[in-house]
Amino acid sequence: MYKVDSIIFDLDGTLWDSTDGIVKTWGLVLSRNPDVDKVVTEEDLSANFGLPVERIAANMFPQLPKERQLSLMDDCCRAENIYLAQHGGTLFPDEMDVLEKLSAAFPLFVVSNCQTGYIESFYEGNKTARFFKDQECIGNTGLSKGENIRLVMQRNNLQCPVYVGDTQGDADAAALADIPFVYAAYGFGSVDHYDWKLDSIADLLKFIKNRE
């Protein structure tokens, strides 16, 4: 049996749902840009959560030149970071209790395909920083999610981690890092293959208990 010594989490759809705050902030940003004819919806965001910022920009604003897409994304991301740090996002049922118990037994980490400052907004807005030892994102390193998982593993000397996420991209990243993938089926996406499945974040407590 794989003896888990640490847990690395995806963020969107796995640890929180920031959709409401992002819809609000992006709507405000785009309303100040008359060259953009786009109303951002929850469906837009759900379809793009977990993707690198450049791909989200291309999907959201396909009619615009790449430079303009990225400029808009910079403005939107800056606004959402500020809003989410102040107001937080929606956590999943029993999440704070789960994180409290997990962090007492294992070091916890976050690796996301997000912009710089987004993970810190999750920490600040939802008072979760105390649970996590380290984090990384594509906005900091320019590396893929799988490479960032490896980076966190290396600098924290993790021997038997698992990666918890909710999309096929998360499953692929875990495969690239050569670690087991735990599918958060309560999240936003669907996954073809996984090592273990969670129907709620509280299921992590049962999962970990069986693999200590």
Side-chain angles (χ1 to χ4, degrees):
M1 181 181 292
Y2 190 80
K3 188 175 177 64
V4 176
D5 71 352
S6 51
I7 306 172
I8 309 172
F9 289 91
D10 167 55
L11 183 49
D12 290 320
T14 302
L15 288 174
W16 74 346
D17 181 354
S18 59
T19 303
D20 184 62
I22 295 177
V23 167
K24 288 178 181 176
T25 54
W26 285 31
L28 288 173
V29 170
L30 297 183
S31 70
R32 299 194 293 264
N33 290 270
D35 62 320
V36 182
D37 183 18
K38 174 69 177 176
V39 176
V40 177
T41 66
E42 292 186 7
E43 290 73 21
D44 288 329
L45 296 179
S46 294
N48 285 279
F49 273 134
L51 298 179
V53 170
E54 286 193 10
R55 286 184 59 189
I56 297 175
N59 291 343
M60 286 291 196
F61 314 115
Q63 75 282 9
L64 299 176
K66 183 175 181 179
E67 184 177 340
R68 180 67 175 132
Q69 292 174 356
L70 295 178
S71 173
L72 278 172
M73 281 298 296
D74 283 345
D75 291 344
C76 288
C77 288
R78 192 159 38 245
E80 76 182 49
N81 282 357
I82 293 169
Y83 180 91
L84 292 170
Q86 294 173 344
H87 301 279
T90 301
L91 301 185
F92 294 100
D94 303 315
E95 180 170 341
M96 293 296 278
D97 180 59
V98 170
L99 292 177
E100 191 80 56
K101 291 175 179 175
L102 286 177
S103 63
F106 300 95
L108 308 182
F109 306 87
V110 180
V111 173
S112 172
N113 267 346
C114 62
Q115 71 273 12
T116 299
Y118 186 74
I119 298 173
E120 290 80 0
S121 293
F122 164 67
Y123 290 166
E124 186 172 349
N126 289 90
K127 312 304 180 195
T128 54
R130 69 184 186 275
F131 301 125
F132 299 95
K133 301 295 186 183
D134 195 6
Q135 70 279 330
E136 199 51 270
C137 68
I138 191 173
N140 288 343
T141 66
L143 300 175
S144 72
K145 183 175 283 187
E147 292 169 316
N148 280 326
I149 292 173
R150 284 180 177 171
L151 186 62
V152 166
M153 290 169 60
Q154 290 166 2
R155 70 186 182 213
N156 292 280
N157 194 31
L158 307 183
Q159 302 301 311
C160 297
V162 294
Y163 188 61
V164 183
D166 67 313
T167 68
Q168 186 59 46
D170 294 330
D172 295 341
L176 184 82
D178 196 26
I179 62 173
F181 176 65
V182 181
Y183 172 39
Y186 57 85
F188 298 143
S190 58
V191 172
D192 294 333
H193 301 287
Y194 50 82
D195 295 286
W196 300 285
K197 177 183 174 184
L198 307 173
D199 291 316
S200 70
I201 196 167
D203 284 349
L204 262 175
L205 297 176
K206 293 182 287 184
F207 164 77
I208 291 300
K209 185 176 182 181
N210 292 332
R211 284 162 183 84
E212 292 181 317

